[in-house]
Amino acid sequence: MIPPIARRFVAGESPAEALDHVRKANRRNVKVIVNLLGEHYDDRGPVRDDAAAYRSLVADIAASDLEACISVKPSQLGLDLGEDVFREELETIVGTAADRGIFVWIDMEDHTTTDATLDAYEEFARKYGGERSASDRDSDGTGGVGVCVQANLKRTRNDIERLADVPGKVRFVKGAYDEPAAIAYTDSSRVNTEYEALLEFAFEHFDGGIAVGSHDPAMIERAIDLHEEYGTDFEFQMLMGVREDAQYELAREYDMWQYAPYGNRWKSYFYRRVMERKENLWFALRAITGR
Ligand code: FAD
């Protein structure tokens, strides 16, 4: 059982608990990106199990009236075992999701995975979102594929030029992995400048399909300004348990998606949330003690 202190960040251990969380968030106009916790498998067994769990989750979402989609990790789908394994498993999920009109996000992991992840995204977005134009990237009920890009990587400016006309969506984040200085900006103010520059490019050149994956009030304000300037469609994305009041507030006016993980591998995810911001432990403690 997940202790209450971790429940702030994790929707539960079972798909039923995850969908129950979606229902509650939907009532507050927040849509949910469901992620099954798991990564870096070096054995095909758990890869197959997680892919099957995602296909079943997709079917459950499609059979419900819930506003939800899924997000998968390349190394959860076997990238450490080979790019062919990753693509094979990803295609089973994207194919099932496309048949049922459910959107699939691909998370971005460390820089050694960027090429394989973007190549798979581009191929599947063209194949499964192909009947739609780049300007028709709605993730509500029409299927499709999205990918995450990281502002801390120096290559990302080039990558998003390539992604601009792919008929999918792009989630912009600052980047969660410690990367070598040769290929990444390691200073947080430089990453912020880069994040803003990427948003500016996207709002000016994309037809839509922009996801602003940040809790940072400055980036949120910048995205709203850019939307007002260019009129480009976009959505906000934030993590479950982080700035939820802001999520409910933004949901009154904007498309708001919450990334909610579930599953029995919750310990390392909870540890990561606490380590990136020690106050999270305090917030979680306050939530359970009610003080
Ligand atoms: P930060 O730069 O960490 O903080 C800036 C400001 O935001 C803070 O000063 C504070 O005002 C506010 N803030 C931030 N965190 C909190 C908090 N816990 N509580 C209160 N205020 C806070 N990274 C990847 O590498 N790959 C992925 O696939 C990926 N997917 C993501 C999906 C989503 C939906 C989100 C939201 C993030 C994802 N990330 C991913 C993580 C991302 O790269 C960042 O590490 C993470 O979001 C922290 O950056 P930030 O922009 O939110 O804010």
Side-chain angles (χ1 to χ4, degrees):
M1 207 184 103
I2 302 179
I5 197 164
R7 272 306 292 256
R8 176 189 168 98
F9 303 105
V10 180
E13 284 189 298
S14 67
E17 286 172 297
L19 295 180
D20 195 44
H21 174 76
V22 174
R23 192 161 293 110
K24 288 180 188 142
N26 282 177
R27 277 192 213 121
R28 305 191 74 165
N29 213 23
V30 172
K31 293 172 262 187
V32 182
I33 304 162
V34 187
N35 166 257
L36 170 60
L37 290 163
E39 60 195 321
H40 292 299
Y41 297 140
D42 50 15
D43 193 28
R44 192 76 190 248
V47 170
R48 286 208 182 95
D49 290 347
D50 280 14
Y54 275 122
R55 291 192 298 273
S56 160
L57 183 65
V58 158
D60 288 347
I61 294 171
S64 74
D65 56 354
L66 299 174
E67 295 207 82
C69 63
I70 61 166
S71 204
V72 303
K73 282 199 164 26
S75 74
Q76 175 177 37
L77 299 181
L79 185 56
D80 294 356
L81 298 168
E83 211 170 319
D84 53 336
V85 177
F86 163 51
R87 280 181 179 233
E88 202 181 297
E89 298 290 352
L90 179 63
E91 183 149 26
T92 68
I93 297 168
V94 173
T96 304
D99 286 345
R100 291 170 170 75
I102 303 295
F103 196 87
V104 179
W105 281 101
I106 311 170
D107 288 351
M108 187 60 80
E109 299 179 277
D110 73 75
H111 77 275
T112 62
T113 68
T114 312
D115 281 326
T117 304
L118 294 182
D119 289 349
Y121 162 69
E122 186 166 357
E123 183 185 323
F124 291 133
R126 291 196 189 285
K127 187 167 171 187
Y128 292 98
E131 286 167 22
R132 298 173 302 137
S133 69
S135 60
D136 180 17
R137 309 173 190 232
D138 188 3
S139 54
D140 300 317
T142 51
V145 190
V147 76
C148 177
V149 296
Q150 298 152 324
N152 65 331
L153 292 191
K154 293 176 181 170
R155 59 174 288 165
T156 300
R157 282 208 198 203
N158 287 334
D159 289 336
I160 62 164
E161 283 177 28
R162 160 187 168 193
L163 299 181
D165 71 342
V166 176
K169 301 207 320 180
V170 180
R171 173 200 302 153
F172 293 84
V173 300
K174 291 186 188 173
Y177 297 83
D178 283 334
E179 301 286 13
I183 56 145
Y185 305 110
T186 51
D187 173 61
S188 64
S189 66
R190 184 70 179 83
V191 175
N192 287 342
T193 311
E194 203 56 27
Y195 190 92
E196 288 195 47
L198 294 175
L199 286 189
E200 279 158 25
F201 179 89
F203 275 91
E204 188 176 350
H205 297 283
F206 282 26
D207 291 333
I210 300 168
V212 179
S214 176
H215 311 102
D216 188 339
M219 301 307 146
I220 289 164
E221 212 173 294
R222 188 74 191 112
I224 292 171
D225 287 348
L226 287 165
H227 171 66
E228 280 165 11
E229 185 176 349
Y230 294 105
T232 320
D233 281 345
F234 80 110
E235 67 194 47
F236 285 118
Q237 294 188 359
M238 293 196 205
L239 303 180
M240 178 181 175
V242 180
R243 299 200 68 212
E244 288 202 355
D245 288 346
Q247 297 183 25
Y248 303 138
E249 194 58 40
L250 286 166
R252 292 170 190 267
E253 211 173 330
Y254 302 100
D255 214 9
M256 180 77 232
W257 288 82
Q258 181 188 88
Y259 183 106
Y262 81 98
N264 54 21
R265 297 183 181 88
W266 53 267
K267 277 187 196 134
S268 53
Y269 180 81
F270 173 60
Y271 180 73
R272 220 181 294 159
R273 294 283 79 78
V274 169
M275 290 317 285
E276 80 189 2
R277 206 172 162 88
K278 303 284 181 334
E279 296 96 307
N280 279 336
L281 188 59
W282 173 238
F283 289 139
L285 273 169
R286 276 212 324 213
I288 53 170
T289 59
R291 301 178 63 192

